[in-house]
Amino acid sequence: MSPTIFATTVHTDTPTGAGTSHREPPLLPQHHAIRWWLCPPATSSSATEFRRNIESCFLYAAQNRGVELAVTPHVDDGMARGAWRNSLRFNPSSHGARLHRHSHSYHLSYNDALLFPIAAALGHVLSMTTSLLNSSSVLPIEIGQPEVPARLLVWLGMQGEMSATVFAHPHAWRQTMHELRRMNFLKDPHSSQSDSDAGLRFKLGISTNFNKLCGCVPYDESDPVKYLDRFPKRWPRYAPRFNIPEVQRLYEEVDFIGVTTYSSAAPNFHTREIAKAMEEFEKEASIMGLKLKDLLRNRCTPIHFTEFGVGGG
């Protein structure tokens, strides 16, 4: 059975120029704008409410939809400038990277506003499976409700289709990953011991687009083949800005690698066209100095096609 997939999305007012190095995209029609007064700022209370609400969705899916949950957080442009999330270069743990410019009192980071609440909610649902395995535990599920599968598996991409932030701040993403793994939300509330089994069933990954990974090269080429043909000549100009060995370490430490595969495809596309996008991803990564083939061969890190289809932008 395929996993139940959640793509959770928040909107940001991060200026395009602050998150990208390419030219300003064309403005969208005014009626598409998400006005700031309709988009409340991220606060500690809103993060708590978000966690509570999303947890109910995760619990329902676990009880009714199968034994796997996959979650991919997104950040979208909330100011109708047409900015692509793949080009946002925010630091996930920085409180200066505000999710809302009118949030004068609360400057929650991406981690505090979105990622950590999601992880805590998933961890709580996983802890319910721990209780199921302990016959002396009082189940934290209402009588008459379906049980959470005892072997529930969770795949959490720390970000979705957001490549530039990974390549701009690989150390921050490694720190985020280690912090998530140290969190105590996988502890069985009915046990004095941490649930190592639940921890093994909580998988962390990074999820990027299949191309245009660094967010540094002008996106003036929509054809992925032509873009890739030009990339070897363009990359040396931008390479000194990036810590590629740190990006390599990040890829080596995650539990899975997610790739968004909105490559050119017909409506009746075949799975081999998704594999083609993966080939383009690996080729661009190798030009940048990443050894993904060795990683996949030696560590057997799984690849997840977190999004695929004929759409995208």
Side-chain angles (χ1 to χ4, degrees):
M1 181 180 294
S2 60
T4 302
I5 300 173
F6 292 84
T8 55
T9 305
V10 297
H11 291 85
T12 178
D13 69 349
T14 301
T16 304
T20 66
S21 59
H22 58 81
R23 64 190 179 190
E24 288 282 342
L27 292 177
L28 298 178
Q30 186 63 34
H31 65 270
H32 286 293
I34 298 175
R35 308 297 183 87
W36 66 263
W37 57 84
L38 297 179
C39 188
T43 65
S44 297
S45 60
S46 67
T48 300
E49 182 181 9
F50 168 67
R51 175 201 162 164
R52 182 172 59 250
N53 291 337
I54 198 70
E55 183 177 313
S56 67
C57 297
F58 295 155
L59 178 58
Y60 179 86
Q63 291 173 326
N64 296 276
R65 300 292 296 175
V67 295
E68 291 190 47
L69 297 178
V71 184
T72 304
H74 283 171
V75 173
D76 281 354
D77 171 30
M79 300 304 289
R81 291 178 298 255
W84 184 23
R85 72 175 70 98
N86 190 56
S87 64
L88 297 175
R89 295 202 305 269
F90 61 90
N91 184 322
S93 59
S94 172
H95 288 242
R98 296 174 297 173
L99 293 182
H100 199 283
R101 66 172 174 165
H102 296 274
S103 175
H104 300 299
S105 300
Y106 300 92
H107 293 220
L108 292 189
S109 66
Y110 167 88
N111 287 346
D112 293 333
L114 186 64
L115 183 57
F116 289 170
I118 290 174
L122 288 168
H124 189 214
V125 173
L126 266 179
S127 74
M128 296 180 183
T129 70
T130 304
S131 297
L132 287 173
L133 297 175
N134 184 349
S135 60
S136 63
S137 297
V138 178
L139 300 184
I141 301 174
E142 295 181 9
I143 296 176
Q145 293 296 313
E147 294 182 347
V148 176
R151 308 308 304 172
L152 180 67
L153 182 61
V154 168
W155 304 91
L156 174 58
M158 293 187 290
Q159 36 60 251
E161 198 186 47
M162 294 189 287
S163 309
T165 175
V166 170
F167 281 79
H169 301 284
H171 184 67
W173 285 106
R174 287 185 66 215
Q175 288 182 317
T176 294
M177 176 182 60
H178 296 320
E179 187 170 353
L180 282 169
R181 286 174 174 162
R182 287 194 302 266
M183 282 184 173
N184 203 34
F185 51 65
L186 294 181
K187 185 180 179 67
D188 180 359
H190 303 285
S191 172
S192 60
Q193 301 295 322
S194 296
D195 178 22
S196 58
D197 179 67
L200 292 174
R201 292 183 283 116
F202 193 102
K203 305 296 184 180
L204 292 172
I206 51 175
S207 180
T208 67
N209 195 51
F210 76 98
N211 71 352
K212 303 178 180 178
L213 301 176
C214 65
C216 57
V217 178
Y219 293 169
D220 54 0
E221 184 57 75
S222 58
D223 187 312
V225 176
K226 292 181 179 179
Y227 166 83
L228 196 56
D229 287 341
R230 297 178 180 180
F231 186 70
K233 293 182 179 180
R234 288 173 161 178
W235 171 242
R237 174 185 174 186
Y238 300 100
R241 304 180 187 179
F242 298 91
N243 186 346
I244 296 302
E246 188 74 355
V247 177
Q248 179 73 30
R249 283 188 284 271
L250 174 62
Y251 272 102
E252 290 174 353
E253 292 174 358
V254 294
D255 299 315
F256 70 96
I257 297 171
V259 182
T260 298
T261 56
Y262 287 120
S263 56
S264 301
N268 57 342
F269 70 94
H270 192 274
T271 52
R272 61 176 170 268
E273 296 181 68
I274 298 179
K276 179 183 176 183
M278 186 61 201
E279 293 171 2
E280 295 174 8
F281 168 73
E282 192 281 326
K283 184 176 180 180
E284 182 172 341
S286 66
I287 293 171
M288 300 173 75
L290 293 173
K291 300 179 177 65
L292 294 188
K293 275 190 175 180
D294 293 341
L295 175 65
L296 300 178
R297 184 182 301 114
N298 299 330
R299 296 175 181 267
C300 298
T301 304
I303 295 291
H304 287 203
F305 296 119
T306 52
E307 300 177 48
F308 61 89
V310 296

